[in-house]
Structure formats: C-alpha cells, structure tokens
C-alpha cells in the first residue's frame, strides 16, 4: 500500500493508474463505518484511494480540531487489510496557501441545520473536497448518509461544478444497540454513551410512528420524550433535497437530530 504525503505525490501516483478509481475521503480514526465505505469502493473499482486529513477549515474556532482523534498507524493497518491501494495523508500546509480562492456553500442549504449551528463548516468541507477531487480525480467517491446534509451538498457541488464523478451514498453503520458509529464516540463516558443511545432510539421510534401518521408535531413530541441529551440543537424534518416539510412524505423524508451529550456533539438521522 502506497502512502502519499503530499498533493504532488498523489497527482503523480494517480497518473500511473489505469482503470476505475474509488475514493473514500475521511478524517481518520477509522471505524467500521469508514470500513463499510472502503469495502464498497473495493468491490466497485480497480483501485481504491483513502484520504486521511483532519481538515482545519471545516472546524470552527473553539471546536475539537486539536483534540480530534489521530491514529495514523492503526488507520494504515485497517486500510492495508481492506486492500486499499493508497492512502493520501497530506499536511495542512501542503493543502492550503494564505490567500486562497474560496468556495462558498449555498446560502440557504449550506446555512441551515449543521450550517446554522456550525456557520462556515460547509464552506470548509466543500473547499477541501473540491481540492481532493482534483488531486485524486476519482471515478466514484463514497460518502456516508450519517452526514446527510454534507452528502447532499457534495452532490450539489458535483452538479454545479460539472465534476465527472459518481457520488455513492452509503448506509450508516451502527453499534449493535443502534448508536451510530462516529470517531467522536470515544469522547463519551460510559454514562454519556448510554444517554447518547437515546438519539438513535428517538429516530427509530420516529420511523415506526411515520408508518402510522404524517403528523410531525406528534412524532416530534414522542422523540423529545425519549431523548436524554444535555443540549438538543435540532430535530428537523426535511425532504431529500433538504427543504423543510410540514408533514411526513414516505420515501422522501429525512429526520435529523443534533445534540450534545456532555461536551460531545453528535448527529444522526433516518431516511423515511
Ligand atoms: P469522517 O472521517 O467523520 O469525516 O467521515 C468520513 C466519511 O465516513 C463520511 O462520508 C462519513 O459520512 C462516513 N461515515 C462516518 N460515520 C459513518 C457511519 N457510522 N456509517 C457510515 N458512514 C460513516
């Protein structure tokens, strides 16, 4: 497995590849969720490239950039075992210059929900994904539905900028008890983890109720009763294009939650 430490190394390596390239962008601290994306990419492409880059521009001041888990050697081993051809792990100073051309997330859908609670977050995400796409030039790129709004905005960027890349949507991997896997779960104490579970429970309950009623207020009320978090940032009901909806539309609804448990911010969602 090749380790590519700079954009120029990655660009040179990419030129040697003859065949389809599956690309999995990550921030590392790899878990089974990431692995499911890598495995899918492995099945569907001649070559698989994973990037591991804790992208500074998508963190807001005061967020967990400095303490974000970094486990490069363990991540390499996971990638090796999964049959990854190359890992791209650049230093921030090789990815960014001082006074850059910037990409802005769309004014509405980039600034609601995650974008409202983390203003500028999606500008940073789109900026780095744009760079990564140009460096790796993948045939297909794999993203998790766990970050549903991110996935939506990346698909929009691909359309708006005419990238010739297929975006592959991957299901959210969960622990046996339902907790969505996340690199940030390691921040949770045992007690907090138990309460974090109320997020996936509330979503599961909402999905069940949705088969009986379209009434969002009724569903939301039950979700709030189940939730045992310290700060509920939002419960939102949107269609697949991230327009707010007034009632459940089966087959075209996403229910999303963002909440803090202790000081850890968690997001999860369910597609109805
Ligand atoms: P991250 O390293 O958190 O930036 O995530 C990298 C990619 O893995 C993103 O496309 C995420 O949506 C995806 N991902 C994160 N957690 C999960 C999960 N539990 N199941 C599936 N995909 C995930």
């Amino acid at each position: 497995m090749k380790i590519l430490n700079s954009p120029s190394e990655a660009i040179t390596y990419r030129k040697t590849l003859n065949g389809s390239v599956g690309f999995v962008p990550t921030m590392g601290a790899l878990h089974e969720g990431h692995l499911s994306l890598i495995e899918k990419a492995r099945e569907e492409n001649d070559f698989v490239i994973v990037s591991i880059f804790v992208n500074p521009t998508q963190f807001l001041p005061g967020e967990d950039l400095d303490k974000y888990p970094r486990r490069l050697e363990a991540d390499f081993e996971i990638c090796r075992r999964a049959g990854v051809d190359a890992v791209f792990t650049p230093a921030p100073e090789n990815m960014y210059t001082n006074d850059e051309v910037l990409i802005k997330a769309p004014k509405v859908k980039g600034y609601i929900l995650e974008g409202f609670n983390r203003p500028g977050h999606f500008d940073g995400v789109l900026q780095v994904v744009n760079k990564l796409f140009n460096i790796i030039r993948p045939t297909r790129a794999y993203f998790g539905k766990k970050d549903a709004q991110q996935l939506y905005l990346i698909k929009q960027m691909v359309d708006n900028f005419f990238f010739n890349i297929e975006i592959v949507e991957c299901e959210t991997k969960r622990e046996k008890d339902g907790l969505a896997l996340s690199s940030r779960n390691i921040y949770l104490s045992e007690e907090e983890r138990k309460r974090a579970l109320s997020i996936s429970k509330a979503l599961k309950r909402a999905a069940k109720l949705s088969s009986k009623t379209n009434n969002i207020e009724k569903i939301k009320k039950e979700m709030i009763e189940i939730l045992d978090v310290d700060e509920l940032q939002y419960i939102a009901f949107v269609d697949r294009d991230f327009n707010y909806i007034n009632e459940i539309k089966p087959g075209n609804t996403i229910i999303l939650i963002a909440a803090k448990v202790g000081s850890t911010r968690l997001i999860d969602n369910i597609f109805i």
Side-chain angles (χ1 to χ4, degrees):
M1 188 177 76
K2 284 250 187 259
I3 309 290
L4 309 164
N5 288 307
S6 69
S8 59
E9 267 178 60
I11 289 165
T12 305
Y13 170 75
R14 175 64 179 92
K15 285 184 185 150
T16 68
L17 303 182
N18 224 325
S20 61
V21 174
F23 177 45
V24 184
T26 81
M27 297 205 299
L30 300 181
H31 51 62
E32 293 283 334
H34 298 116
L35 192 59
S36 68
L37 272 55
I38 294 170
E39 283 168 353
K40 198 161 193 203
R42 185 65 285 169
E43 280 166 23
E44 297 177 352
N45 299 278
D46 299 317
F47 302 96
V48 175
I49 303 179
V50 172
S51 66
I52 297 177
F53 181 59
V54 183
N55 173 40
T57 65
Q58 71 189 68
F59 287 78
L60 270 63
E63 288 190 344
D64 58 345
L65 173 63
D66 294 335
K67 70 166 192 163
Y68 196 85
R70 287 162 170 89
R71 291 194 231 114
L72 215 43
E73 284 309 318
D75 288 349
F76 288 161
E77 192 50 35
I78 289 169
C79 288
R80 241 176 241 121
R81 287 189 193 174
V84 169
D85 296 284
V87 176
F88 176 46
T89 172
E93 53 271 29
N94 290 332
M95 287 293 275
Y96 291 104
T97 55
N98 273 333
D99 187 21
E100 291 218 333
V101 174
L102 296 172
I103 288 181
K104 296 291 284 178
K107 285 196 182 83
V108 176
K109 288 171 188 173
Y111 286 87
I112 57 170
L113 306 170
E114 283 306 281
F116 180 78
N117 284 279
R118 306 179 71 189
H121 167 68
F122 287 124
D123 297 355
V125 169
L126 297 178
Q127 181 86 356
V128 79
V129 171
N130 200 294
K131 286 171 187 266
L132 291 168
F133 280 178
N134 283 318
I135 295 165
I136 304 297
R137 290 189 291 112
T139 316
R140 300 182 186 85
Y142 294 77
F143 291 89
K145 285 160 88 170
K146 159 93 169 27
D147 299 281
Q149 193 178 1
Q150 167 177 284
L151 171 61
Y152 173 78
L153 292 172
I154 286 166
K155 284 198 296 189
Q156 191 181 343
M157 182 175 75
V158 164
D159 283 349
N160 292 166
F161 288 0
F162 304 100
F163 276 107
N164 183 19
I165 297 172
E166 182 189 337
I167 302 300
V168 183
E169 306 185 5
C170 303
E171 295 303 322
T172 299
K173 277 270 171 188
R174 298 175 181 282
E175 305 270 14
K176 278 203 186 75
D177 57 11
L179 184 72
L181 291 173
S182 162
S183 304
R184 291 193 168 96
N185 288 352
I186 57 153
Y187 299 150
L188 298 169
S189 70
E190 211 173 303
E191 184 270 338
E192 287 170 345
R193 193 196 174 286
K194 274 189 197 143
R195 291 193 294 115
L197 206 52
S198 69
I199 297 172
S200 56
K201 278 194 179 140
L203 289 167
K204 216 169 154 190
R205 177 76 187 135
K208 206 162 176 198
L209 281 173
S210 299
S211 62
K212 296 191 201 113
T213 176
N214 289 331
N215 187 325
I216 282 176
E217 283 316 311
K218 215 164 147 181
I219 295 172
K220 200 170 172 179
K221 193 162 163 267
E222 287 216 21
M223 291 173 77
I224 289 169
E225 274 167 27
I226 293 170
L227 285 168
D228 186 9
V229 298
D230 295 306
E231 182 192 332
L232 180 58
Q233 296 191 334
Y234 59 77
I235 296 180
F237 295 74
V238 299
D239 66 16
R240 296 280 201 271
D241 290 322
F242 277 82
N243 301 300
Y244 287 106
I245 51 176
N246 296 318
E247 57 176 31
I248 300 284
K249 300 176 186 174
N252 188 18
T253 297
I254 313 172
I255 308 177
L256 309 106
I257 295 178
K260 274 189 169 179
V261 180
S263 58
T264 306
R265 189 173 183 280
L266 300 169
I267 59 169
D268 198 356
N269 64 65
I270 198 156
F271 283 56
I272 307 284

